[in-house]
């Protein structure tokens, strides 16, 4: 029975418990809901295929996260191969409406306008609570790049958020 | 509040506010098949045994069923389409037919890769080199083009093999090849995703040896009709048709390509959100029919039927390619211990062939349009490797006679 548990039912158990977390991560990384859903489905399909070879069940979450982020990186590549312009500069966002009280929405709007890699670094560091080293490993980049990307992203947020929100 | 705390709260808030739907296992299995060929489960781990094959219970319902050609097996020629202007039936209405537990002894009439062996529909199996997960294969006169997915770098690689299966050349990264008749098409691009090197579309004519290349195509999923290639750009927004001589022409309204008929009727998603399936005339862009909430999968070789899947659903629908009407419905999985049929490819215009996912093993099975699902006798139902179907490689008899 132990072997059976490592098969389909085990995958299904993991799916029920952990798919919501994967969907949340995809939702934060992807530019839209459709892309997020595609990311999750592709990730789950790859995990499904790889499942029999994952011996260490404690590493499944990390593995799934890495697959998802890699799939997300592939979408950057597709965009660049099609010569789409991924904006490097965040458009001016002015949050000065006196009736506005949605700070979190404002922050999210800024995050959603960041270049994909900066956004991914922020999501992994501040939502997934990964260390700089773990973030670098997941993204396949140097720790120094994680630091610089995070620094630039935070600076962008700081620049565009009203001072009263930062007091 | 510092910006880091604001950021953490904003990310948490945004993640919490979205609605999420659970993904059914059968949909995951089907997606796995579509992406890279599903990996057959380790059978020694699932010790239910061959008895499970005799208790298979996959639900197959039929509706508006066009009379199939007279034969109990695949490869019975191409029935003529019967275009209809009547309203589309959203769901079948006839009661479910029962499973036929009997096995079918006829071997697959299309090629397939199992593990590292290519099984052509006729001739001897060919041992392939130690590639990663093979996702596609096209047969050339002097060898093969094979795609394999390499998990380490998250990319699909292409290799040229000779007729013995020995590696001749590494072609870099790309998309799995497709073939139709004597034409083979594939996509190559740089393995460095961050570069701007674009997808090069290749079309090889096996009769003349001429290989045309369209650089910077952005092509992703491909299909061949006549001497043209129909392709999408992988983002669900654009599709094009090209003969690789003149400039590619965009097919308005079409976002993805799942298959195309010989007379240029292409099936795919029609909207950006990918929630609508339809058929579009390649030449004019005319939308012949549209069905909401369906994901198109593949067109039968004679262009008669389209296999489609409702999002997040374990069902698979067979649609009339000419009208979009539901012809047959296959329940991909049932409750608890019911098996899942994962269609791999159209064997001919009246049979789907694929894998039956059981707890014990993964036998091949075929589903016919008249409601029969039969595990294929004689195949290695307890192996541990995966199958990748090669629909472009068909038994010669398929196009000319009425049986095998």
């Amino acid at each position: 029975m132990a072997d059976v548990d490592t098969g389909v039912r085990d995958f299904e158990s993991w799916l029920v418990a952990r798919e919501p977390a994967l969907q949340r991560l995809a939702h934060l990384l992807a530019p839209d809901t459709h892309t997020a859903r595609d990311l999750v489905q592709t990730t789950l399909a790859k995990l499904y295929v790889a499942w029999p070879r994952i011996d260490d069940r404690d590493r499944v979450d990390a593995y799934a996260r890495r697959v998802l982020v890699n799939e997300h990186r592939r979408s950057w590549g597709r965009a660049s191969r099609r010569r789409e312009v991924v904006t490097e500069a965040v458009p001016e966002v002015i949050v000065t409406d006196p009736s506005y009280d949605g700070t979190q929405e404002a922050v999210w709007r800024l995050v959603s306008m960041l270049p994909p890699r900066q956004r991914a670094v922020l999501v992994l560091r501040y939502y997934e609570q990964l260390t700089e080293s773990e973030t670098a490993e997941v993204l396949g980049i140097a720790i120094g790049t994680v630091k610089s990307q995070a620094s630039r992203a935070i600076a962008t947020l700081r620049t565009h958020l009203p001072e009263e929100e930062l007091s | 509040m510092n910006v880091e705390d604001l950021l953490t709260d904003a990310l948490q808030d945004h993640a919490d506010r979205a609605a999420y739907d659970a993904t059914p296992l059968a949909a995951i299995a089907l997606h796995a098949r579509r992406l890279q060929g599903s990996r057959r489960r380790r059978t020694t781990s699932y010790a239910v045994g061959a008895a499970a094959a005799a208790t298979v219970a996959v639900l197959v319902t039929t509706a508006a069923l066009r009379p199939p050609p007279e034969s109990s097996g695949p490869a019975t020629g191409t029935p003529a389409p019967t275009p209809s202007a009547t309203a589309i039936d959203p769901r079948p209405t006839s009661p479910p037919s029962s499973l036929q537990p009997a096995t079918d002894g006829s071997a697959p009439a299309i090629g397939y890769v199992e593990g590292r062996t290519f099984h052509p529909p006729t001739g001897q199996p060919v041992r392939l080199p130690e590639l990663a997960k093979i996702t596609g294969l096209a047969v050339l006169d002097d060898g093969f083009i094979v795609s394999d997915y390499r998990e380490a770098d998250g990319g699909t690689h292409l290799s040229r093999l000779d007729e013995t299966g020995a590696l001749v050349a590494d072609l870099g990264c790309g998309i799995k090849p497709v073939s139709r008749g004597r034409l083979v098409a594939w996509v190559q691009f740089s393995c460095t995703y961050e570069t701007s090197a674009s997808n090069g579309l290749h079309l090889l004519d096996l009769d003349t040896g001429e290989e045309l290349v369209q650089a910077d195509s952005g092509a992703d999923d491909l299909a061949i009709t006549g001497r043209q290639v129909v392709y999408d750009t992988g983002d669900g927004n654009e599709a094009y048709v090209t003969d690789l001589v003149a400039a590619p022409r965009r097919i308005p309204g079409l976002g993805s390509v799942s298959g195309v008929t010989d007379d240029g009727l292409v099936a795919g998603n029609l909207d950006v959100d990918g929630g609508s399936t339809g058929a579009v005339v390649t030449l004019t862009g005319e939308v012949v029919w549209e069905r909401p909430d369906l994901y198109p999968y593949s067109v039968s070789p004679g262009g008669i039927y389209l296999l489609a899947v409702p999002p997040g659903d374990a069902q698979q629908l067979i649609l009339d390619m000419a009208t979009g009407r539901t012809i047959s419905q296959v329940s991909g999985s049932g409750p608890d211990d019911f098996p899942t049929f994962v269609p791999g490819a159209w064997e001919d215009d009246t049979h789907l062939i694929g894998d039956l996912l059981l707890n014990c093993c993964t036998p091949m099975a075929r589903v016919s349009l008249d409601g029969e699902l039969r595990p294929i006798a004689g195949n290695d139902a307890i192996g541990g490797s995966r199958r990748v179907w090669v629909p472009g490689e068909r038994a010669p008899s398929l196009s000319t006679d009425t049986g095998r």
Side-chain angles (χ1 to χ4, degrees):
Chain A
M1 288 302 294
D3 282 341
V4 173
D5 288 343
T6 62
V8 179
R9 289 181 181 82
D10 200 11
F11 178 80
E12 282 187 294
S13 298
W14 179 89
L15 188 65
V16 169
R18 301 301 299 158
E19 185 185 2
L22 209 58
Q23 291 195 355
R24 283 182 168 82
L25 177 59
H27 191 68
L28 293 174
L29 290 173
D32 53 69
T33 303
H34 172 61
T35 305
R37 195 169 63 180
D38 277 355
L39 276 176
V40 171
Q41 293 197 351
T42 303
T43 300
L44 292 176
K46 292 184 173 180
L47 188 63
Y48 175 84
V49 171
W51 192 262
R53 293 177 287 109
I54 303 176
D55 295 326
D56 185 356
R57 291 290 188 254
D58 292 338
R59 296 287 299 163
V60 171
D61 287 355
Y63 178 85
R65 183 168 52 216
R66 180 166 189 144
V67 171
L68 190 143
V69 171
N70 273 335
E71 282 303 310
H72 184 48
R73 285 177 61 210
R74 290 188 70 198
S75 69
W76 309 346
R78 278 182 168 169
S80 79
R81 290 202 303 277
R82 290 197 310 277
R83 302 194 188 290
E84 286 182 355
V85 177
V86 176
T87 179
E88 286 294 332
V90 176
E92 191 67 27
V93 176
I94 303 172
V95 192
T96 55
D97 181 347
S99 64
Y100 181 78
D101 59 357
T103 305
Q104 291 173 342
E105 286 83 355
V107 174
W108 171 251
R109 282 182 62 197
L110 290 169
V111 170
S112 68
M113 291 183 215
L114 292 170
R117 182 145 63 176
Q118 286 187 26
R119 176 169 164 175
V121 167
L122 290 190
V123 169
L124 293 174
R125 289 280 288 118
Y126 294 98
Y127 177 75
E128 290 286 311
Q129 300 290 319
L130 300 187
T131 64
E132 288 177 339
S133 172
E134 290 168 335
T135 301
E137 184 184 346
V138 169
L139 288 172
I141 57 179
I143 293 178
T145 306
V146 171
K147 290 179 178 176
S148 64
Q149 295 285 303
S151 173
R152 288 174 61 185
I154 294 290
T156 300
L157 298 186
R158 190 171 281 121
T159 301
H160 289 80
L161 283 170
E163 264 185 35
E164 56 268 29
E165 301 292 354
L166 300 173
S167 57
Chain B
M1 202 171 195
N2 64 41
V3 70
E4 288 85 357
D5 290 339
L6 280 174
L7 174 60
T8 301
D9 288 349
L11 293 173
Q12 188 69 53
D13 176 69
H14 187 73
D16 287 345
R17 277 192 288 115
Y20 304 109
D21 297 322
T23 310
L25 180 63
I28 295 170
L30 188 63
H31 196 155
R33 167 66 71 195
R34 185 174 186 273
L35 279 175
Q36 58 199 58
S38 72
R39 183 185 187 86
R40 293 169 61 194
R41 296 174 191 155
R42 289 183 300 183
T43 54
T44 53
S45 299
Y46 308 148
V48 176
T55 59
V56 161
V58 170
L59 187 68
V60 179
T61 60
T62 61
L65 179 62
R66 182 181 301 164
E70 48 181 272
S71 152
S72 61
T76 54
T78 301
T82 53
S84 166
T86 57
I88 292 168
D89 297 340
R91 289 282 169 177
T93 55
S94 61
S97 62
S98 61
L99 173 80
Q100 307 298 312
T103 56
D104 185 336
S106 54
I110 59 174
Y112 64 97
V113 177
E114 193 169 66
R116 292 196 168 85
T117 302
F118 171 56
H119 299 264
T122 58
Q124 293 299 310
V126 178
R127 183 75 174 166
L128 304 175
E130 296 288 314
L131 299 169
K133 303 172 197 165
I134 293 174
T135 61
L137 179 147
V139 179
L140 312 178
D141 285 343
D142 59 352
F144 310 90
I145 291 178
V146 175
S147 58
D148 69 298
Y149 179 77
R150 301 183 186 178
E151 206 164 293
D153 63 9
T156 297
H157 290 242
L158 295 173
S159 302
R160 187 86 176 244
L161 313 179
D162 68 15
E163 65 272 19
T164 70
L167 182 64
V168 174
D170 183 338
L171 303 179
C173 286
I175 309 290
K176 70 177 182 179
V178 299
S179 61
R180 193 177 186 91
R182 299 286 290 165
L183 295 175
V184 180
W186 69 93
V187 171
Q188 287 179 225
F189 53 81
S190 165
C191 291
T192 307
Y193 293 120
E194 279 69 21
T195 71
S196 60
S198 190
N199 297 18
L201 173 61
H202 294 242
L203 180 65
L204 173 62
D205 185 330
L206 297 178
D207 286 329
T208 65
E210 181 184 34
E211 182 176 333
L212 300 172
V213 181
Q214 179 188 316
D216 205 25
S217 71
D220 197 291
D221 278 336
L222 310 176
I224 299 174
T225 176
R227 296 195 61 80
Q228 295 185 311
V229 177
V230 182
Y231 65 87
D232 62 41
T233 51
D235 58 3
N237 292 325
E238 299 171 28
Y240 295 84
V241 58
T242 179
D243 61 2
L244 283 85
V245 177
R249 184 170 49 80
R250 186 169 179 184
I251 305 173
L254 188 65
S256 71
V257 173
S258 296
V260 64
T261 66
D262 277 336
D263 54 0
L265 188 63
V266 58
N269 283 124
L270 298 186
D271 62 1
V272 173
D273 289 335
S276 176
T277 286
V280 176
V281 178
T282 305
L283 195 61
T284 64
E286 176 196 358
V287 177
V288 178
W289 56 264
E290 182 173 358
R291 292 277 302 263
D293 299 325
L294 280 180
Y295 185 80
Y297 190 74
S298 66
V299 175
S300 69
I304 310 298
Y305 300 115
L306 170 68
L307 178 66
V309 183
D313 203 329
Q315 295 171 337
Q316 296 130 26
L317 302 181
I318 296 170
L319 310 183
D320 184 330
M321 184 64 182
T323 66
R325 191 169 7 184
T326 299
I327 298 297
S328 183
Q329 178 176 323
V330 179
S331 176
S333 71
D336 301 324
D337 293 332
F338 276 39
T340 298
F341 174 70
V342 181
W346 286 93
E347 192 177 29
D348 58 23
D349 278 307
T350 55
H351 294 84
L352 284 163
I353 197 163
D355 291 339
L356 201 56
L357 306 184
L358 306 178
N359 281 339
C360 67
C361 47
T362 313
M364 295 183 208
R366 62 167 53 91
V367 171
S368 60
L369 294 186
D370 55 5
E372 282 186 295
L373 183 146
R374 293 189 172 201
I376 295 173
N379 73 89
D380 175 18
I382 57 171
S385 58
R386 68 187 182 213
R387 293 187 188 98
V388 174
W389 300 94
V390 186
E393 193 59 16
R394 325 187 71 81
S397 60
L398 279 181
S399 59
T400 55
D401 61 26
T402 58
R404 287 182 295 111

